[in-house]
Each structure stands twice: as C-alpha cells, then as structure tokens.
C-alpha cells in the first residue's frame, strides 16, 4: 500500500476517530508505521526506527509485539516500554465503549421557533395567513423551553449541559428551574443577526465536543436543518445513538434516516400563544384576585392548559387579571373547573362573548 493512501497527515487525531486508529495502523507498511510513530513525538531516535526497519516490522506485526519482543530485537528498556505503551493505548481505544444512556440535548432555537409558528398556526388555524407558504403563521407563538426539555427527555437522565443556540429564553422560562432541579446548567449561544450559518456551525461543534469528550450516550437534536448531518454522522460513527425532534413540515430529508419524533404531536405541552382578544376564541375565562395572581408566572398558567391537553392562549392585564381563551364552551368550562379545583383562592368568571377592552 502506498504512503499516499496512509500518510501520517491523513491519520492525525484531528481527522480520524481515536478508536479507529488500531485498524488504520494495521494497514501500514514499515515506512508508514515509522512515519506514524515519528509524528507522535515519542522521543525516539533514528537508531530506534532503524531497528524496526531492519526487522521489517509492519503495522499488523507491530500491534502483536510486547515489551520483551522489542527488547529481544535490540531496543533498550526505555524505547521498548514506550512502544509497548503505544500498542496498549491503540488496543484499548479500539474497544468501543458501552452506551451510557445519558441524553445530551441540542436545540436550534431559531429553527424551532420559525417553523413552529407555521406548524402550530396550521394545526390551530390561527394567526395571519401566509399566501407564499399557503399556511397560517402564528406570530403570537411562544415556546416554554423547560416543558420542551421535559417533553423530549421523556423521563430519561440528562447528560451534562444542554445547549441552546438562538434567541435566549427569558429569565422566567421554566427551563431554568427544570435544569437547576436536575443539577445541571444550560449553555446558551445567542444567534447573531444575519449569521444563521455561523450559529448552525456552533451547534454542530457543540455536538462534536460532546461526542469526543464524553462516553457514548444519546445525541438529541431539536432542529431540522440538513447542515447538522455531518455532526450526527460523526456521533453515530462513535457508537452514539441519535434522535431528531422537529416539526414535520420543516425537516430536511438528510435527517430522515435517524430516529424521528415530530413535535406536531406534542406542541400543546410546550407552546402557547400570548395576546389579547384572539380571533375565533370567543369563550373567555377571566381570573382575578390581585394578591394570588401577582405571584403567578407563565408556568402556572401553562400548567392549566397542559394538564387538560389544550393549546394555551392567554393575556395578562394590569390589575392583575388574566384572560384565558378557548374556541368552545366545553373546553372553557373544563378549564374553569381545573382552576377552581387547583387554585380555590382565585375568582374565575366565564365570558361567552367577545369583551371590549375599553369596558
């Protein structure tokens, strides 16, 4: 085999997975093996390499040697020990590690949000109609990242830091409490305007960092861009499992070869709309009691909709007063019963007609 095919520059640790190196070394001839050992800066001299050359030690033969074998062909104790350790490292790293089952989550937040506005808008038939895409676009959509995390984890253990690239979740998003309760932190990279590809590359590098620095687990990516295929393929190559979670209408065909979970089936658990007087939602619950509601954040309101598996839409008015919106009386009354049962200290009023905000 020629040195052109297997020169050391082609098998550096930057380009070849570590656990494949023993298989690569097996293909070396004597000169290729010597060049490989020389590139590792083992403090060996030309006289040591000359012994290997004289004995015609090729890659396959090299991997079968012991320290005693190297001593028997004329190498002194120091170089013999160094070469024996190289062989041990190659054989150890060539054994695939068992999968830990830990889940490492990577979210392209802008990708998630942009496609989510169309998918949820289409399902809920809400928002403005985009004639170019022939779909509703729900610009009032919000994402609760903490509930998203719980949805995709499905009770599994999270491994190390979750990574979000894109718009920074607000301080009151339940993401922070959910991550903190599990003893981990979140790494958030803000997406720079007009730098979409740069942010995609950042997330891809974060995936690669986990793959190379952690024992194999599960890469769970919430994104639909085909640009993530190289990072995903690298993870699979290193004995990792991969799941892709995204909206059905926005996922690249390049990602469809992986385990796919469509967020369309789960959106009520982690998305909601915020804004007053939405069209088509004529059944309203008005919740009042200043002292109690003043302590509520979005998570308390979301809990009502999530528990009932309704898509949440609400608006908070100064007072404080919260309005919950529904498209039918049955759902409105179910929500009223839920609020009264779980929060008996608040007052809930049913409004069956659109109410003027000037009243």
């Amino acid at each position: 085999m020629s040195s052109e095919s297997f020169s050391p520059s082609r098998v550096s640790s930057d380009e070849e997975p570590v656990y494949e190196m023993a298989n690569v070394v097996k293909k070396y001839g004597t000169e290729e093996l010597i060049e490989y050992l020389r590139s590792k800066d083992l403090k060996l001299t030309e006289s040591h390499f000359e012994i290997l050359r004289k004995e015609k030690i090729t890659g396959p033969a090299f991997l079968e040697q012991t320290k005693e074998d190297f001593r028997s062909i004329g190498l002194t104790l120091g170089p013999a020990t160094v070469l024996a350790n190289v062989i041990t490292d190659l054989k150890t790293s060539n054994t695939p590690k068992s999968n830990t089952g830990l889940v490492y989550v990577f979210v392209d937040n802008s990708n998630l949000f942009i496609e989510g506005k169309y998918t949820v808008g289409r399902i809920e038939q809400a928002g403005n109609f985009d004639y170019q895409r022939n779909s509703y676009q729900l610009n009032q959509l919000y994402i609760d990242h903490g509930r998203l995390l719980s949805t995709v984890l499905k009770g599994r253990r999270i491994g190390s830091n979750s990574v979000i690239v894109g718009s920074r979740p607000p301080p009151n998003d339940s993401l922070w409490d959910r991550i903190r309760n599990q003893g981990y932190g979140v790494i958030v990279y803000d997406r720079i305007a007009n730098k979409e590809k740069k942010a995609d590359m950042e997330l891809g590098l974060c995936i690669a960092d986990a793959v190379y620095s952690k024992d194999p687990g599960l890469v769970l990516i919430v994104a639909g861009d085909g640009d993530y295929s190289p990072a995903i393929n690298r993870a699979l190559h290193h004995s990792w499992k991969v799941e892709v979670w995204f909206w059905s209408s926005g996922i690249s065909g390049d990602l469809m070869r992986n385990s796919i979970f469509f967020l369309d089936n789960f959106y009520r658990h982690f998305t909601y709309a915020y804004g007053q007087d939405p069209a088509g939602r004529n059944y309203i619950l008005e919740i009042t009691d200043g002292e109690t509601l003043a302590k509520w954040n979005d998570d308390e309101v979301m809990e009502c909709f999530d528990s009932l598996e309704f898509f949440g839409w609400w608006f908070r008015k100064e007072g404080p007063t919260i309005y919950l919106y529904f498209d039918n009386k049955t759902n409105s009354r179910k929500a009223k019963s839920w609020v009264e049962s779980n929060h008996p200290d608040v007052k809930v009023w049913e409004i069956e007609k659109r109410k003027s905000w000037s009243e």
Side-chain angles (χ1 to χ4, degrees):
M1 183 167 291
S2 69
S3 59
E4 175 65 20
S5 299
F6 285 97
S7 65
S9 64
R10 295 284 299 278
V11 296
S12 67
S13 60
D14 289 335
E15 296 184 10
E16 291 289 344
V18 173
Y19 71 80
E20 283 192 342
M21 281 309 303
N23 292 330
V24 173
V25 170
K26 283 182 180 179
K27 300 177 182 179
Y28 285 169
T30 300
E31 293 303 320
E32 293 160 335
L33 173 65
I34 290 172
E35 288 303 311
Y36 168 71
L37 295 173
R38 183 181 286 120
S39 72
K40 293 181 68 65
D41 191 25
L42 300 173
K43 310 303 181 187
L44 299 176
T45 67
E46 285 302 316
S47 63
H48 302 136
F49 295 134
E50 188 58 36
I51 293 174
L52 299 180
R53 188 177 287 115
K54 177 183 176 182
E55 296 294 328
K56 299 181 180 180
I57 303 293
T58 61
F62 176 74
L63 293 172
E64 298 301 320
Q65 303 305 302
T66 65
K67 181 167 63 175
E68 290 71 23
D69 292 333
F70 288 126
R71 294 293 305 276
S72 70
I73 62 175
L75 288 169
T76 56
L77 179 61
T81 301
V82 168
L83 291 176
N85 288 340
V86 170
I87 294 170
T88 298
D89 290 343
L90 284 169
K91 289 183 175 180
T92 301
S93 61
N94 197 51
T95 303
K97 297 179 180 178
S98 59
N99 196 288
T100 63
L102 295 177
V103 182
Y104 296 79
V105 182
F106 303 89
V107 181
D108 183 336
N109 198 37
S110 295
N111 197 202
L112 170 70
F113 178 66
I114 291 170
E115 289 300 328
K117 290 192 297 183
Y118 286 101
T119 300
V120 177
R122 172 178 52 80
I123 297 173
E124 292 292 326
Q125 295 288 288
N128 301 319
F129 196 82
D130 185 331
Y131 288 94
Q132 287 188 327
R133 289 192 54 159
N134 193 33
S135 172
Y136 283 96
Q137 180 182 15
L138 184 56
N139 291 317
Q140 297 94 329
L141 186 73
Y142 286 79
I143 294 172
D144 186 315
H145 296 83
R147 292 181 179 275
L148 170 65
L149 184 64
S150 295
T151 298
V152 300
L153 282 176
K154 299 190 294 185
R156 295 172 293 186
R157 291 177 58 205
I158 191 171
S160 188
N161 292 333
S162 293
V163 177
I164 296 178
V165 170
S167 304
R168 184 178 295 272
N172 64 345
D173 191 291
S174 69
L175 171 70
W176 311 109
D177 286 337
R178 291 174 192 273
I179 289 291
R180 193 177 298 114
N181 289 340
Q182 295 193 46
Y184 296 101
V186 178
I187 303 172
V188 180
Y189 294 92
D190 289 324
R191 187 183 292 273
I192 303 172
N194 301 320
K195 299 291 184 180
E196 299 290 316
K197 291 299 180 183
K198 183 176 180 180
D200 292 348
M201 290 175 60
E202 187 67 60
L203 191 62
L205 290 173
C206 290
I207 295 172
D209 285 345
V211 168
Y212 286 120
S213 64
K214 309 290 184 183
D215 288 340
L218 171 69
V219 167
L220 191 157
I221 181 169
V222 182
D225 198 323
D227 289 346
Y228 297 119
S229 290
I232 289 174
N233 291 337
R234 184 62 68 183
L236 293 170
H237 202 52
H238 282 257
S239 301
W240 286 66
K241 297 179 180 179
V242 174
E243 285 181 6
V244 177
W245 292 68
F246 204 62
W247 310 107
S248 62
S249 61
I251 191 167
S252 168
D254 293 336
L255 302 182
M256 294 297 288
R257 294 186 293 271
N258 302 284
S259 295
I260 302 295
F261 295 85
F262 291 128
L263 294 175
D264 313 35
N265 301 320
F266 307 95
Y267 74 97
R268 291 186 179 91
H269 297 299
F270 64 89
T271 67
Y272 62 93
Y274 183 84
Q276 66 182 36
D277 207 20
R281 294 181 181 263
N282 299 325
Y283 299 89
I284 305 168
L285 293 185
E286 181 182 75
I287 306 176
T288 61
D289 191 327
E291 184 176 345
T292 298
L293 292 189
K295 300 176 183 178
W296 281 24
N297 57 31
D298 291 342
D299 197 39
E300 276 77 18
V301 183
M302 188 67 182
E303 184 65 26
C304 171
F305 288 99
D306 189 11
S307 298
L308 297 171
E309 297 190 353
F310 298 157
F311 176 65
W313 197 314
W314 69 83
F315 177 71
R316 186 186 296 268
K317 191 178 181 183
E318 292 183 5
T321 300
I322 296 178
Y323 295 91
L324 312 185
Y325 300 98
F326 303 88
D327 56 7
N328 64 75
K329 181 181 290 188
T330 300
N331 288 355
S332 173
R333 290 192 168 174
K334 286 181 179 179
K336 182 175 184 292
S337 296
W338 188 95
V339 173
E340 290 175 337
S341 174
N342 289 275
H343 301 281
D345 50 339
V346 303
K347 297 180 176 62
V348 186
W349 312 91
E350 288 185 83
I351 306 173
E352 294 190 8
K353 291 184 178 180
R354 195 66 57 81
K355 182 176 180 178
S356 170
W357 297 104
S358 61
E359 294 179 6

